[in-house]
Amino acid sequence: MDLRPSLREVGQGPPVVCLHSNASTSSQWRSLGDLLADRFHVIAVDGYGAGKSPPWPIDRALRLDDEVALLEPVLAQAGAPLHLVGHSYGGAVALRAALANPGRVASIVVYEPTVFHLLVDAGADPLQSAGQGIWRAALAAAAAAERGDDFGAAEIFIDYWMGAGAFRTMPASRQPAIAASVRNVGGWLDALFADTTPPSAYAALDVPVLYLWGDSSPKSARAVAERLTRTLPRVTSAPQPGLGHMAPITHPDVINPQIRAFLERAA
């Protein structure tokens, strides 16, 4: 089956492919696209089950390689060299896409990629790892979604990343779409913790990487940041004081100029 994701495009110049976080869509990159459009061709892609992209076929488990395969027509159309920008789950997909496309990717920007498998030693219990917080939250959210309690699933998942009460204080108009998107939480969890990419693969990823992370983010995200910024060979670690995991959405005025400055140096 020929599947193509939906996307948003703006601007002209070197291609920048942007990948969104869980429970979000390509629209999260609208302000970044506006900022980059005078210098870059920005292509913001909807992953499986987001925006107008196809839902994930439910007959088998989702894997990051499947997300990369969905992205492939976009990368081919964008041409090379291209730049990848990813937030959270989108950051994990961006790193996997870069590993799968040596020579096509000129640089990578990630904000807290959720490559949680790096926190779990082979054969170990995820509930005893530095990623236990997201493991427990995602399992609870997946169970709620399976019961048909989409709002309960969204509350668990969003509150883990943004703090207690975050979902309930969101505008009521936004809550139904977020609740619907969190139905995929079990698939996200499975894809991330089932990944077997070894640390040595990231150590061989020889392109410039801007790694943004919030010092107020949950422990799981900060633990991944500590691991990957010691592993990636050409990484610039950029801690964001006082910001959390959702900063690209909550504080684009802080994050987007840093992305632009990095891309201008890398292009």
Side-chain angles (χ1 to χ4, degrees):
M1 183 183 301
D2 181 23
L3 296 176
R4 293 183 65 89
S6 64
L7 50 84
R8 299 167 180 265
E9 294 183 83
V10 65
Q12 299 290 329
V16 178
V17 178
C18 300
L19 308 174
H20 61 81
S21 61
N22 297 122
S24 186
T25 70
S26 59
S27 65
Q28 82 163 74
W29 299 115
R30 186 179 287 115
S31 62
L32 178 63
D34 292 343
L35 181 65
L36 298 180
D38 66 323
R39 177 70 174 79
F40 297 94
H41 176 201
V42 181
I43 308 167
V45 185
D46 286 315
Y48 270 113
K52 296 180 180 179
S53 283
W56 177 248
I58 60 174
D59 59 340
R60 65 181 179 86
L62 177 69
R63 294 292 180 262
L64 289 181
D65 283 343
D66 297 310
E67 299 279 12
V68 174
L70 180 68
L71 187 62
E72 174 55 33
V74 179
L75 301 183
Q77 180 179 338
L82 58 86
H83 306 269
L84 292 172
V85 176
H87 171 213
S88 189
Y89 185 79
V93 176
L95 290 172
R96 195 73 190 85
L99 292 172
N101 291 277
R104 289 170 80 179
V105 176
S107 76
I108 307 167
V109 179
V110 287
Y111 193 103
E112 296 186 1
T114 51
V115 285
F116 296 126
H117 73 284
L118 293 178
L119 303 179
V120 185
D121 295 330
D125 181 356
L127 292 177
Q128 302 301 317
S129 74
Q132 64 176 281
I134 183 57
W135 181 262
R136 293 180 189 278
L139 283 176
E146 190 171 349
R147 295 192 302 270
D149 183 7
D150 292 346
F151 277 73
E155 184 172 12
I156 294 166
F157 189 72
I158 297 301
D159 284 10
Y160 174 79
W161 287 117
M162 299 185 69
F167 180 72
R168 293 194 177 212
T169 58
M170 286 181 174
S173 60
R174 292 182 55 199
Q175 291 178 354
I178 293 173
S181 70
V182 173
R183 293 172 191 161
N184 295 329
V185 64
W188 301 331
L189 178 71
D190 191 38
L192 293 171
F193 276 93
D195 191 4
T196 58
T197 306
S200 59
Y202 297 106
L205 193 56
D206 191 22
V207 297
V209 178
L210 175 63
Y211 197 115
L212 298 144
W213 56 279
D215 68 3
S216 294
S217 292
K219 180 180 179 181
S220 59
R222 289 184 282 111
V224 171
E226 181 180 359
R227 178 71 59 90
L228 270 181
T229 55
R230 288 190 282 107
T231 303
L232 293 163
R234 298 173 62 187
V235 66
T236 299
S237 178
Q240 305 299 303
L243 298 187
H245 185 70
M246 302 307 293
I249 296 174
T250 61
H251 293 80
D253 55 321
V254 176
I255 302 303
N256 290 348
Q258 296 178 69
I259 296 175
R260 173 164 182 139
F262 174 81
L263 291 174
E264 287 180 334
R265 293 192 297 272

